[in-house]
């Protein structure tokens, strides 16, 4: 086919199509580019940059304003200094130096210059000598002429004198003016306190001109000085040049000689050359000497001039520093301001090439992966693209936020601004009058912002800050600065305050992260470059737009706002939405698997994760882990999260084994031991082997009879097996093993029915009567079922628990007791023996501990005879009843009463009986409801029906079950197929039916509700927790959560606003609720986990709403209701949501160093046994800020040098650092002086006297007693020397500026302090209240430094009495050796000392031998001090010796010190006890006297240091000393050979003598 | 006023200004403190420590010691100077005495009960009870406290640098009933009332001054009628001392409530 012009498609059409599509494409491309260009984050960055520039400018302007006056002052000061006469002694010294140099040079010249040079070498010597001497001669000539210098000096001093007297006149006039002013106000008392202040007047012209003249003269004078110095310099230079020249000559001659040697030159030639070289060498050394002298001369001259100028130079330097700072700020301001170039580069396309200072700010975390379902992917956190200032610290601080996120109440403020007393001059500006400078807004031009505030101005006093937005002036809205001007400067009345309403701080994302000491900064434990953002916050880190980053609102209100302002939506597809603010701490659990690591520490005294720790503690306290296992391990070693699980049940198993009467005596002994020490693995294995062996015997028919133990016991062997990574928590409830011996049926019934009946504050949850979901009319039948079966369950449980109880042997009071129990004595004992450390009681309103139950109503529980018997046994020996109780043995041994003079009266009281009497005293204010002892017909019918329900299963249909229950029970032949509980129903008859059915139902009920999760119940040793495991609950898919009919419930019966109007409209709008509730309602609406758990904790049975119809009674929900407050509930949720099993890479998981690990592990034990109830474990920490010079330096005290505390240069520098407020900071550990009558911290006046209640004039202070050496303004303040007077907060407790972090522990000690004083004063009015701390449990801050580790371990296991003065003894907690070891390590680690072992060289024989080689009777000498009536024995027991007198002044037995105390501690203690315990009454016995004895040398020969050393050595080796006094030889029977027994001889079998 | 200018000039020009001649006048203050009531018979102290020796000393409670004609002893009267200020000192009294102030442990009690010490004047603590161990525990406010054993052959010697605002307690930890009070001031204008209740302070610069009245039973003696005025809540009374005159306050009646009794 021929080619034609024709195209297949019409060209024109095609053109149109192409044109159109090209156009579309262009539009699409432009659209795409526009979309790409206009990214949200750019706006945020630009805004932030604007903010930064503004802030820098404000700070620059403020600094400039501040510096201006300083620079002026410095300038005039410089003028003053420069026009001051110069001390003529400088001139004299200067001349002396010059003259001395001259005479030195003259002396040198008179001697032949080149000593060793040969005469023939005159040429060389001429050159050199003439060269150098002529040089020196010239300088000398000039120098000797002082006339010019003297003239200049005289001229200057004359003018300077004139200038000075002119100035003096000015000052005197000013002083006169001021004095006459003072005079008008009346004759001032003694003194003028502001004498240092200079009159603030402009210098009159006369002074200025005379100063000018003096300055001119001074310049002239300095020129004269400089002339001479220049000459000296010139000479020095010449000499150096000369030496270079000679050196070069020498080098040339040396090489010439080398050549000549090569050329075999004659000896003469070589010698000549050698002489020449020698000549040069000598000259060089001579020149070197001269140069040195010349240099010394020059520097001496310079030194004199330097001294003359020293003061001026210092001032100039200061000025330069100020100028440098200003120029730095200028640079910074310039850098932060966008310029034209940047602006251009931000244009589309160009912006792709140059970022124009705007870029995606991203942190790449290759090892911090995120789970993308199929793989772990590196994180890219781009959050900083918008949150630009997030890690910015305030200038001059390491962790203060530059832009703090302020709480709502601090954001909107009313400022009361004091106006001047009189109208200011016309034309005065806000800056002149108030020190206030305003500007248009930072983020919004329609706002008015405080640009800066001058220090000490009226605005500063009112608290205005740079950046505050002024919204209202009076009640007028402010849109421009003039409004404020008018308001503040045109007032009708002056001297009154004006009101400004301001808004402070920035919104997100312009703020800094809170707690920069913990996060973001490089010095924090979580630097941003290593951790990024999303590991803690979750959310989509790679997103750069608000909605796509999965922010999560914290309340419905916020959600509405975000939806409106930022297009927020709930992105269901992103499974890691950001944690809302309320749960932000949850994710700490990813890396922190021990609670102790999240608690306040010395480094971070402010709680790092308070809510989370609270939640964790609540989970521990309420025993959630009894039903819900929280496993922290994946395999034996790999940690995945917190591990909160029940301990192995060995003790309970062993107790159950003890029920078997077939145990042999030995087996019984083993078992009893295991009950006491369940951690003893060897014993447990032994016992398990016994059971297994016996079980084997029983299985073999022919020897079955030889098995002694029951099959039940055999089965218990399984409970003794080893467990991989066992749990560590004890059950939180008391043991019910011996319940019968403790409580009555009626009480028990009431308790189970509703624990709050008896004790409103109890932790036991409520299981019954939770029917809020059964209130609808159509649920009537379901409600009736519950109301019919629940009483049956309660009655069955109560009866079963009592019937199933083991027998308990009560303790009988000791025979020596003569007195009847007394509630009055018991009350003081209860208060003072430590009970209040764990329990509260309404008789003692000042203290409330929650470790143990509130005992106010004990009498209602134990009013029966057996209750009283039980209570006595319990108080005295709690482990007898409940082996795993945390209640310790308090050593309530009989007390032989003494009279006022300390003699026994013959009366013996029993403190345990007294305490029991106190608890049982009074008529109970509550009695349980009486219940019939027998089952009524209705109850029996219900019991049968319930048993039938239980029995009914796939294998046993309902009808058959009914037959079993009503007939003869389950046939015996079915036994092998039956479960343990069902076996109870074999062989039912009318005689045993009710009891058997009761036991059956009770056992099933216990299993259903999981009572054994908290209580030891006989027969349930092996039961497993009944609840859902929680280790991964924080990531549980919400589709797996049974929300059931929750929405319907909440809209109706379960509406939290049930009583209010909201119920009417029947639908659930989160916005109708308060912010906290609204969050959870919203969460429930979107089927999220946090809403689910919130409702579960709030109304645990509500998920059964409308589901009960189709469930059996026993299938209904069983979670009980705990008495959580809303805040507690949220804390628990915070903890549970953090259980995500997402431990990141190993390097991110918090790994404590061994010391920290010991601290963390120890804290758990401390908490378990409530050590902090009595002991102070950390003193209060006061972080104070103050003005320089606030604290007068403490007086120096001459003391043993080893007691001095040295601080590092860094610490000192830090303590002298001024923050942005110009304040210094100090961290002090201690506690304020307490009032001996009230026990409350005493507020004192400036003289240190307590401020009386009606005194509102005195400035309040606290007298802070230091417990740790501290640094204040670079000066060490040492413990026990002097108290610090810290200005007190105007109201409330703490320092005026700063924070007082509370002490950890010691509540009881502080509570008892005034009370023991009052009590002791009753019988002993002279006892010293100030020493009462010594009668109470000691603080343990540096216990590790004090005691030896092995002693402490033994003491914890078996505490002995140490201090006779103490009102209570350390109780015995029956802790395991592992727990004791953890405590020992804790104390050592916390006080930063050696553990687990410490080497005590003082206790080595070799050490003693060496010391004794110089002074053989050294130990005896030290003993002389000990037994001298003036010293140790005055107050201390020593072995068998006991001091007489007042026990409140007695100290511990010195014979035991060598086992207890660490040598260094003992030395420091004896040297000056107050340096360790500020309150101690122990005196310094050997005062430090350098080179002299501290005590009489007749006792111990040597200096005070040697005497102290000797005494310490004796006390540390008391056993060695005692051993030396003991002779064993006399005890050995003499002539052992004579008395030796006869032995047989192998050969003849006859007795023979050896 | 002259003083004021003088001080101002000294502060400004230091040694360049000739020493300001001080022509201040000097006066004295005296008075007698009388207990206005019937004192209870002092309670006997039962010594539980060193019984053999101490019980023979007929020790009694010494908080309130009233002598003949009701003279109240052990009241501290001293010139109050505001913190950071100072007072002119008479040339005769410019230097603190080199003679030590002595506090003795004697007969299981401190002698004297109330003692005044000037800064830089030595304080000697003695033990006159040979063979009886004593320790002396002093708790000061501005000066470092001490607590040392003192034996009869080795007295303690202490010097203090800083002025105290009120008397400090000195005690013995071994014999808890032992108590004394020591006032340390950086000026000589202080006195303790003697057994008859008399006190006198000499050579006080003329002018209006505040005087503190302090007794161990109560601390600051509040609302104490002194001359024509009364002490304030801090136990201070403003009195005018005239040159070359003795301001005699006469009998100052101390009622039991003033002492907190």
């Amino acid at each position: 086919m021929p080619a034609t012009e024709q195209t297949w498609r019409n060209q024109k059409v095609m053109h149109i199509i192409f044109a159109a599509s090209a156009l579309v494409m262009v539009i699409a491309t432009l659209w795409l580019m526009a979309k790409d260009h206009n990214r949200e984050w750019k706006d945020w960055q630009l805004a932030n940059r604007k903010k930064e520039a503004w802030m820098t400018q404000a700070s620059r302007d403020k600094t400039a304003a501040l510096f201006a006056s300083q620079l002026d002052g410095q300038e005039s000061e410089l003028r003053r200094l420069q026009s001051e006469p110069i001390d003529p002694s400088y001139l004299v010294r200067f001349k002396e130096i010059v003259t001395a140099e001259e005479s030195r040079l003259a002396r040198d010249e008179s001697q032949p210059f080149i000593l060793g040079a040969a005469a023939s070498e005159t040429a060389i010597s001429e050159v050199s000598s003439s060269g150098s001497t002529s040089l020196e001669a010239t300088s000398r000539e000039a120098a000797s002429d002082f006339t010019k210098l003297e003239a200049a000096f005289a001229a200057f001093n004359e003018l300077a004198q004139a200038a000075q007297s002119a100035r003096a006149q000015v000052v005197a006039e000013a002083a006169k003016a001021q004095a006459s002013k003072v005079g008008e106000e009346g004759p001032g008392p003694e003194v003028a306190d502001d004498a240092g202040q200079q009159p603030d007047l402009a210098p009159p012209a006369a002074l200025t001109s005379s100063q000018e003249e003096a300055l001119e003269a001074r310049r002239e004078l300095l020129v004269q000085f400089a002339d001479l110095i220049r000459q000296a310099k010139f000479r020095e230079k010449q000499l150096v040049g000369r030496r270079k020249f000679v050196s070069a000559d020498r080098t040339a001659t040396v090489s010439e000689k080398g050549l000549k040697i090569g050329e075999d030159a004659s000896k003469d030639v070589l010698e000549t050359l050698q002489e020449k070289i020698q000549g040069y060498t000598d000259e060089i050394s001579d020149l070197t000497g001269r140069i040195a002298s010349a240099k010394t001369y020059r520097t001496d001259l310079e030194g004199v001039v330097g001294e003359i100028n020293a003061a001026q130079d210092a001032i100039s330097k200061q000025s330069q520093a100020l100028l440098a700072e200003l120029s730095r700020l200028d640079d910074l301001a310039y850098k932060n301001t966008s310029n034209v170039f940047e602006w251009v580069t931000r244009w589309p396309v160009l912006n792709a090439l140059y970022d124009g200072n705007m870029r995606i700010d991203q942190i790449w975390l290759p090892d911090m992966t995120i789970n993308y379902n199929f793989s772990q992917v590196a994180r890219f956190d781009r959050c900083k693209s918008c949150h630009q200032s997030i890690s910015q610290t305030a200038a001059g601080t390491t962790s203060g936020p530059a832009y703090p996120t302020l709480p709502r109440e601090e954001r909107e403020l009313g400022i009361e601004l004091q106006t001047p007393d009189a109208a200011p001059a016309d034309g005065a500006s806000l800056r002149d009058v108030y020190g206030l400078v305003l500007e248009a807004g930072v983020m919004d031009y329609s706002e008015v912002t405080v640009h800066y505030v001058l220090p000490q101005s009226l605005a500063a006093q009112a608290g205005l800050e740079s950046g505050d937005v002024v919204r209202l002036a009076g009640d007028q809205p402010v849109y421009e600065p003039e409004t404020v001007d008018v308001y503040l400067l045109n007032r009708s009345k002056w001297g009154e305050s004006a009101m400004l309403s301001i808004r402070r701080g920035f919104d997100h994302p312009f703020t800094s992260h809170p707690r920069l000491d913990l996060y973001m900064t490089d010095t924090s434990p979580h630097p941003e470059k290593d951790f990024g953002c999303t590991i803690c916050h979750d959310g989509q880190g790679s997103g750069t737009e608000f909605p796509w980053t999965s922010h999560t609102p914290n309340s419905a209100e916020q959600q509405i706002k975000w939806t409106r302002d930022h297009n927020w939506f709930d992105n269901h597809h992103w499974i890691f939405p950001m944690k809302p603010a309320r749960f932000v701490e949850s994710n700490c659990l990813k890396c922190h698997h021990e609670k102790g690591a999240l608690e306040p520490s010395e480094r971070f005294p402010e709680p790092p994760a308070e809510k989370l720790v609270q939640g964790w503690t609540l989970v521990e306290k309420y025993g959630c882990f009894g039903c819900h296992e929280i496993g922290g391990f994946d395999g034996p070693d790999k940690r995945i999260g917190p591990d909160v699980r029940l301990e192995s049940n060995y003790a309970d198993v062993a107790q159950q084994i003890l029920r078997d009467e077939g145990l042999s005596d030995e087996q019984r002994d083993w078992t009893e031991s295991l009950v006491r020490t369940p951690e003893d693995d060897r014993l447990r294995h032994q016992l398990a082997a016994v059971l297994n062996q016996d079980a084997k015997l029983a299985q073999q028919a022919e020897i079955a009879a030889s098995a002694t133990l029951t099959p039940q016991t055999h089965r218990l062997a399984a409970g003794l097996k080893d467990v991989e990574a066992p749990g560590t928590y004890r059950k939180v409830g008391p043991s019910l093993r011996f319940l019968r011996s403790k409580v009555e049926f009626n009480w028990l019934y009431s308790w189970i029915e509703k624990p709050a009946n008896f004790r409103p504050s109890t932790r036991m949850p409520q299981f019954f009567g939770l029917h809020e979901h059964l209130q609808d009319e159509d649920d009537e039948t379901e409600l009736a079922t519950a109301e019919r079966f629940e009483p049956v369950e309660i009655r069955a449980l109560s009866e079963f628990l009592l019937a199933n109880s083991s027998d308990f042997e009560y303790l009988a009071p000791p025979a020596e007791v003569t007195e009847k129990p007394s509630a009055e004595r018991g009350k003081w004992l209860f208060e003072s023996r430590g009970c209040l450390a764990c329990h509260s009681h309404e008789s003692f309103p000042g203290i409330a501990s929650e470790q143990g139950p509130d005992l106010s109503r004990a009498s209602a529980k134990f009013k029966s005879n057996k209750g009283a018997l039980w209570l006595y046994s319990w108080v005295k020996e709690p482990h007898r009843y409940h082996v795993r109780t945390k209640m310790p043995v308090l050593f309530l041994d009989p007390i032989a009463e003494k009279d006022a003079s300390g003699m026994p009266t013959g009366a013996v009281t029993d403190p345990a009986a007294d305490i029991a009497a106190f608890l049982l005293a009074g008529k109970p204010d509550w009695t349980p409801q009486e219940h019939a002892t027998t089952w009524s017909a209705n109850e029996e019918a219900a019991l049968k029906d319930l048993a039938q329900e239980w029995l009914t299963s796939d294998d046993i249909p309902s009808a058959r079950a009914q037959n079993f229950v009503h007939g003869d029970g389950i046939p015996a032949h079915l036994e092998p197929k039956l479960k343990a509980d069902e076996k109870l129903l074999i062989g039912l008859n009318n005689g045993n039916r009710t009891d058997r059915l009761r036991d059956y139902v009770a056992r099933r009920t216990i299993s259903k509700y999981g009572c054994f999760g908290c209580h030891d119940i006989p027969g349930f040793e092996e039961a497993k927790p009944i609840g859902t495991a929680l280790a991964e609950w924080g990531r549980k898919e919400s589709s797996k959560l049974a929300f059931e009919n929750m929405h319907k419930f909440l809209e109706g019966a379960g509406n939290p606003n049930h009583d209010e109007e909201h119920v009417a409209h029947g639908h659930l709008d989160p916005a109708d609720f308060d912010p906290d509730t609204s969050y959870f309602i919203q969460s429930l609406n979107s089927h999220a986990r946090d809403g689910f758990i919130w409702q579960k904790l709030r109304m645990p049975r509500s998920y059964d709403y409308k589901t009960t119809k189709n469930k059996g009674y026993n299938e209904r929900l069983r979670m009980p209701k705990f008495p959580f407050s809303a805040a507690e509930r949220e804390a628990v949720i915070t903890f549970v949501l953090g259980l995500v099993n997402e431990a990141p890479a190993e390097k991110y998981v918090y790994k404590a160093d061994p010391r920290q690990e010991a601290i963390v592990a120890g804290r758990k034990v401390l908490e378990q046994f409530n050590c902090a109830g009595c002991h102070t474990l950390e003193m209060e920490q006061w972080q104070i800020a103050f003005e320089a010079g606030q604290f007068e330096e403490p007086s120096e005290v001459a003391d043993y040098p080893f007691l001095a505390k040295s601080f590092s240069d860094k610490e000192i520098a830090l303590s002298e650092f001024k923050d942005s407020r110009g304040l210094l900071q100090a961290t002090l550990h201690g506690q304020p002086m307490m009032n001996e009558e009230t026990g409350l911290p005493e507020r004192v006046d400036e003289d240190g006297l307590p401020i009386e209640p009606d005194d509102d004039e005195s400035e309040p202070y606290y007298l802070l007693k230091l417990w740790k050496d501290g640094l204040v303004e670079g000066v060490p303040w040492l413990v026990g020397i002097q108290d610090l007077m810290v200005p007190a907060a105007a109201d409330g407790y703490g320092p005026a500026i700063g924070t007082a972090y509370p002490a950890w522990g010691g509540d009881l000690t502080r509570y008892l302090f005034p009370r023991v004083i009052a009590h002791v004063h009753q019988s002993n009015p002279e006892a010293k209240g100030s020493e009462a701390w010594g009668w109470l449990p000691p603080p343990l801050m540096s216990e590790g430094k004090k005691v030896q580790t092995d002693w402490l371990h033994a003491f914890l296991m078996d505490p002995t009495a140490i201090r006779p003065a103490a009102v209570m003894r350390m109780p015995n907690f029956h802790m395991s050796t592992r727990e004791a070891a953890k405590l020992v390590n804790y104390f050592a680690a916390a006080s930063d000392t050696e553990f687990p072992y410490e080497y005590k060289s003082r206790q080595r024989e070799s050490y003693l031998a060496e010391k004794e080689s110089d002074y053989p009777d050294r130990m005896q000498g030290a003993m002389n001090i000990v037994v001298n009536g003036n010293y140790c024995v005055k107050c201390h027991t020593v072995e068998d010796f006991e001091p007489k007198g007042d026990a409140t002044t007695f100290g511990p037995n010195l014979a035991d010190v060598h086992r207890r105390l660490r040598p260094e501690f003992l030395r420091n203690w004896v040297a000056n006890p107050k340096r360790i315990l500020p309150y101690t009454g122990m005196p310094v016995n050997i005062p430090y006297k350098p080179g002299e004895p501290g005590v009489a040398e007749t006792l111990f020969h040597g200096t005070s240091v040697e005497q102290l050393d000797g005494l310490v050595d004796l006390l540390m080796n008391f056993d060695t000393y005692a051993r030396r006094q003991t002779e064993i030889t006399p005890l050995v029977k003499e002539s052992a050979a004579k008395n030796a027994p006869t032995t047989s001889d192998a050969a003849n079998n006859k007795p023979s003598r050896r | 006023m002259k003083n004021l200018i003088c001080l101002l000039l000294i502060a400004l020009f230091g040694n360049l200004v000739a020493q300001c001649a001080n022509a201040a006048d000097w006066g004295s203050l005296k008075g007698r403190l009388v207990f206005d009531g019937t004192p209870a018979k002092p309670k006997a102290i039962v010594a539980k420590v060193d019984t053999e020796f101490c019980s023979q000393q007929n020790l009694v409670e010494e908080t309130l010691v009233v002598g003949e004609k009701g003279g109240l002893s052990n009241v501290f009267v001293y010139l109050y100077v505001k913190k950071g200020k100072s007072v002119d000192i008479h040339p005769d009294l410019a230097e603190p005495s080199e003679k030590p102030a002595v506090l003795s442990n004697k007969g299981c009690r401190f002698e004297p009960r109330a003692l005044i010490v000037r800064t830089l004047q030595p304080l000697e603590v003695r033990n006159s009870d040979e063979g009886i161990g004593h320790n002396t525990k002093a708790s000061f406010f501005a000066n470092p406290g001490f607590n040392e054993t003192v034996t009869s052959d080795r007295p303690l010697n202490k010097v203090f640098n800083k002025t105290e605002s009120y008397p400090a307690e000195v005690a013995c930890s071994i014999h808890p009933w032992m108590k004394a009070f020591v006032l340390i001031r950086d000026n000589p204008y202080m006195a303790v009332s003697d057994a008859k209740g008399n006190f006198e302070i000499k050579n006080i610069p003329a002018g209006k001054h505040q005087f503190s009245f302090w007794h161990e039973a109560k601390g600051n003696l509040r609302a104490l009628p002194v001359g024509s005025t009364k002490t304030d809540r801090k136990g201070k009374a403003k009195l005018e001392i005239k040159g070359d005159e003795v301001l005699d306050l006469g009998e100052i009646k101390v009622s039991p409530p003033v002492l907190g009794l």
Side-chain angles (χ1 to χ4, degrees), chain A residues 594 633 639 643 647 679 726-730 884 1154-1169 1171 1177 1304 1343-1344 1349-1350 1352-1354 1356-1357 1375-1391 1395-1396:
Chain A
E594 299 293 343
F633 288 90
R639 285 304 291 268
D643 189 57
E647 65 180 5
E679 66 277 6
T728 52
Y729 285 83
R730 297 184 183 189
R884 301 302 283 162
R1155 207 166 275 285
Q1156 191 59 29
E1157 204 176 338
I1159 290 175
V1160 168
R1163 282 187 82 121
K1164 198 165 154 185
V1165 186
L1166 288 172
E1167 199 174 312
Q1168 183 180 358
F1169 295 113
C1171 305
L1177 295 164
W1304 172 21
E1343 187 68 4
T1349 46
D1350 48 351
L1352 182 58
H1353 186 263
L1356 289 169
M1357 296 297 293
M1375 58 180 78
S1376 70
T1377 75
R1378 262 173 251 169
E1379 285 160 339
K1382 279 182 190 169
L1383 285 183
V1384 173
N1385 290 347
Y1386 166 84
F1387 285 118
S1391 33
F1395 71 98

Side-chain angles (χ1 to χ4, degrees), chain A residues 1444-1456:
Chain A
K1444 290 196 192 90
D1446 184 352
T1448 59
T1449 65
F1450 289 173
N1453 191 335
L1454 295 185
D1456 296 335

